[in-house]
Amino acid sequence: MPMLLLLVACGDVGVPLDPVAPTETDAGVRGGAEADEFFDAAVLHELVVTLDPDDWAVLREQARSYYDILGEGCMEGPIESPYTYFPATASLDGEAMGEVGVRKKGLIGSVVPDRPSLKIDVGEYVDEQRFFGLEKLVFNNGRQDASRMRTCLAHDWFGDAGLVAPRCALAHVVVNGEDLGIYAHTENIDEELVARRTGEFAEAMYEGTLSDFREGWTATFEYETKASTGAEIEAVKDALSTGDDGLLAALDEVLDLDAFFTFWAAESIAGHWDGYNGNTNNFYAYNTASEPRLRFVASGPDAAFDNRKAFGNGWVGTLSALANRLFQHDEGRECFEAELSRQLDENWEGESRLAQLDAWAELVADHDDSSMREGIAATRVVLENREDDVRKGMARGADAGELRGDVCWQTVGTVRVDFTTTWDSYPRGDLWTGGEAEVEYVIEGVAYPSTQDGVSAGTADDGRALWLTISEIAPGVYVAPYVLFDEEQLTDGAELQVDGDEAEAALLYWDQAATDTWETVAYLANGVLHFDTASTAAGAELSGWLEVEVVGSGG
């Protein structure tokens, strides 16, 4: 399989590069062949971490909320990390790492307290300490992947497609004696990864999270190297404003356009809907001294291969500025479709993907459960049909659609509830008509009067206090604002700010004629949940009011 990018000829766009063998000696590159054994795909690796139990408890609970990402300051800069390193000792496959730093990782979708994704910094507390040349090790929990295998399947595919991609293998993770199950052990994406794959360190390198090459979307790029100034990002943004006649040439001046078509095709075949082209998310862009044009690295692909129609009715993600513009450009679309076909013809090799999935299923047999087995079976169906599905999608055709809309929260309405209920009425009481509530729902300037209301409060599944109102606003149509907060906050006169810190809240919606389940349609923010009387004693009266804004985004 190709190690480096093999460029597709498409008109006069792009000049193929001569493959350069990865090296561990030139320019001080470390962590190559000396660390290969720890990414051996035929081995179930074993990570054992020990740290202070109090630190572990804090680490598990660290998280961002939607309020942090989409609320005040949204898109004004890189999303701030809530995670801190804690001292620990660790070993991988019985090889001790020494004293290391360990922290949680993830944005929103993968963040859970019970089995968090982890990043280990081998040199956090001991200068220049390395583990077989590696500075950092990454263990992804695959929360969006019941099979636990799609991250490694996707990274293997990206590498085979000709992109810079991290090595990846499965690992069994144990922390403080607790079995956390199967994780994806992935090589850290940084300038050293680029050097190990190309023989040359990345100069400028950027991580993209809700980031794009258009106005209002560039500030969220995170600068990963000292040489990163943002100039490359601005150059691509400017090139995208070129007219159709000169578009490809302008882009190819600042972006390795053939490499981008490969990246776009690889994401599409993988159904990586949470990547750059499908969601303006989970990607890196870099250049090197000998190639100043930007190239891309895919990241966070635990949701790849999860659906035979990963991009809805279409067969490709075009929410990004680059993909959207190129898809509407005749020659650009031609180049992309040619690269899709080339990848399927030359590099996909579906049988080898299935063989790897089956080998991993056997490897983890002592650690799987019914959910994992079902996830593996579902992934197998996607892989079995992938080539046919993509080719049928190409034949069927698709429109570029719209660019991703504004993701930042905007006020779309208000909710006011005056209530009286009792503690422990949730989940034991009559949620539909219990308690007393007077409600006012105004959405986009329209008032929605209710025909019946229920209000309750009690302990939620996650151990926090839950306050909930359910209202019928039309026959068989219900809305339910709810608020989650810590039980110790529940006292007479308490006034909780609904801001994601003191309390977080959302609005649920259910149309019985259309679906059989509730769905979250908006979040609640910029308001207050006030208690006149409150207690967590069984049957205690709770009374007060909620007044909040209903917020949503254009994304």
Side-chain angles (χ1 to χ4, degrees), residues 25-67:
T25 56
D26 294 352
V29 182
R30 294 186 282 177
E34 62 187 305
D36 273 348
E37 64 181 290
F38 300 104
F39 295 100
D40 185 346
V43 173
L44 179 59
H45 302 277
E46 184 87 5
L47 174 72
V48 178
V49 178
T50 304
L51 71 164
D52 184 284
D54 290 340
D55 288 345
W56 177 231
V58 173
L59 180 153
R60 295 173 88 141
E61 295 299 330
Q62 289 181 331
R64 299 178 180 92
S65 70
Y66 284 105
Y67 296 83

Side-chain angles (χ1 to χ4, degrees), residues 138-445:
V138 177
F139 297 85
N140 289 313
N141 62 9
R143 181 173 180 254
Q144 299 180 95
D145 171 20
S147 78
R148 306 285 187 249
M149 297 176 187
R150 296 200 303 245
T151 291
C152 286
L153 283 168
H155 281 314
D156 285 357
W157 159 238
F158 294 140
D160 292 343
L163 302 168
V164 166
R167 291 170 286 185
C168 188
L170 301 182
H172 176 236
V173 175
V174 177
V175 178
N176 285 357
E178 181 182 356
D179 185 342
L180 298 186
I182 304 301
Y183 281 57
H185 168 35
T186 69
E187 195 172 3
N188 191 51
I189 299 176
D190 57 17
E191 65 271 27
E192 289 194 342
L193 168 65
V194 174
R196 285 192 289 269
R197 290 293 179 271
T198 69
E200 189 176 15
F201 281 97
E203 294 262 310
M205 191 169 193
Y206 305 92
E207 181 178 7
T209 305
L210 297 180
S211 307
D212 206 353
F213 302 88
R214 58 183 172 121
E215 198 64 42
W217 290 73
T218 60
T220 56
F221 278 102
E222 190 164 348
Y223 294 11
E224 295 292 311
T225 62
K226 292 180 180 178
S228 302
T229 65
E232 299 84 2
I233 305 296
E234 292 300 313
V236 174
K237 185 183 81 171
D238 291 344
L240 273 169
S241 66
T242 306
D244 283 353
D245 288 347
L247 176 66
L248 299 190
L251 282 173
D252 202 47
E253 285 287 321
V254 295
L255 176 82
D256 186 338
L257 194 52
D258 280 345
F260 177 74
F261 286 126
T262 295
F263 171 74
W264 184 11
E267 279 202 330
S268 299
I269 292 170
H272 186 21
W273 59 263
D274 199 19
Y276 171 62
N277 295 295
N279 207 30
T280 63
N281 204 30
N282 284 317
F283 70 99
Y284 289 76
Y286 72 92
N287 65 9
T288 63
S290 66
E291 178 49 271
R293 299 177 301 169
L294 285 182
R295 290 178 174 175
F296 288 74
V297 180
S299 66
D302 58 320
F305 300 121
D306 75 339
N307 194 316
R308 291 182 60 184
K309 293 183 178 179
F311 298 112
N313 293 324
W315 45 274
V316 57
T318 53
L319 283 180
S320 72
L322 279 166
N324 194 274
R325 179 75 194 280
L326 288 167
F327 204 70
Q328 297 179 74
H329 185 281
D330 289 344
E331 189 178 350
R333 180 166 177 165
E334 226 173 83
C335 291
F336 167 65
E337 291 181 348
E339 179 63 355
L340 261 179
S341 292
R342 187 185 77 85
Q343 289 293 342
L344 291 172
D345 291 341
E346 299 179 13
N347 295 327
W348 171 243
E349 297 184 359
E351 289 301 317
S352 69
R353 316 274 160 213
L354 288 166
Q356 182 62 82
L357 179 71
D358 291 341
W360 279 335
E362 186 175 344
L363 200 62
V364 303
D366 291 339
H367 301 277
D368 66 9
D369 55 23
S370 60
S371 174
M372 225 174 135
R373 290 190 291 273
E374 289 171 5
I376 292 168
T379 302
R380 171 170 257 282
V381 171
V382 174
L383 294 178
E384 285 174 336
N385 293 280
R386 204 60 178 172
E387 182 173 350
D388 283 348
D389 286 344
V390 174
R391 292 194 188 279
K392 286 175 182 176
M394 292 172 65
R396 185 170 60 247
D399 295 325
E402 300 294 328
L403 285 170
R404 185 170 192 183
D406 185 3
V407 299
C408 297
W409 278 348
Q410 304 162 27
T411 300
V412 296
T414 59
V415 171
R416 168 79 190 203
V417 182
D418 291 277
F419 66 88
T420 300
T421 187
T422 55
W423 180 253
D424 264 355
S425 52
Y426 176 90
R428 298 177 179 84
D430 185 346
L431 306 185
W432 299 93
T433 60
E436 296 180 6
E438 293 183 10
V439 302
E440 295 177 8
Y441 300 108
V442 179
I443 307 296
E444 295 183 342

Side-chain angles (χ1 to χ4, degrees), residues 96-176:
M97 298 182 195
E99 185 181 23
V100 301
V102 61
R103 70 165 175 84
K104 197 173 185 179
K105 69 175 293 291
L107 185 63
I108 286 288
S110 65
V111 176
V112 288
D114 56 337
R115 50 185 312 273
S117 293
L118 300 172
K119 177 171 278 192
I120 294 174
D121 188 333
V122 183
E124 176 69 13
Y125 300 107
V126 181
D127 288 344
E128 296 302 314
Q129 180 173 257
R130 295 274 183 136
F131 179 74
F132 290 83
L134 298 173
E135 181 182 8
K136 293 179 180 177
L137 297 92
V138 177
F139 297 85
N140 289 313
N141 62 9
R143 181 173 180 254
Q144 299 180 95
D145 171 20
S147 78
R148 306 285 187 249
M149 297 176 187
R150 296 200 303 245
T151 291
C152 286
L153 283 168
H155 281 314
D156 285 357
W157 159 238
F158 294 140
D160 292 343
L163 302 168
V164 166
R167 291 170 286 185
C168 188
L170 301 182
H172 176 236
V173 175
V174 177
V175 178
N176 285 357

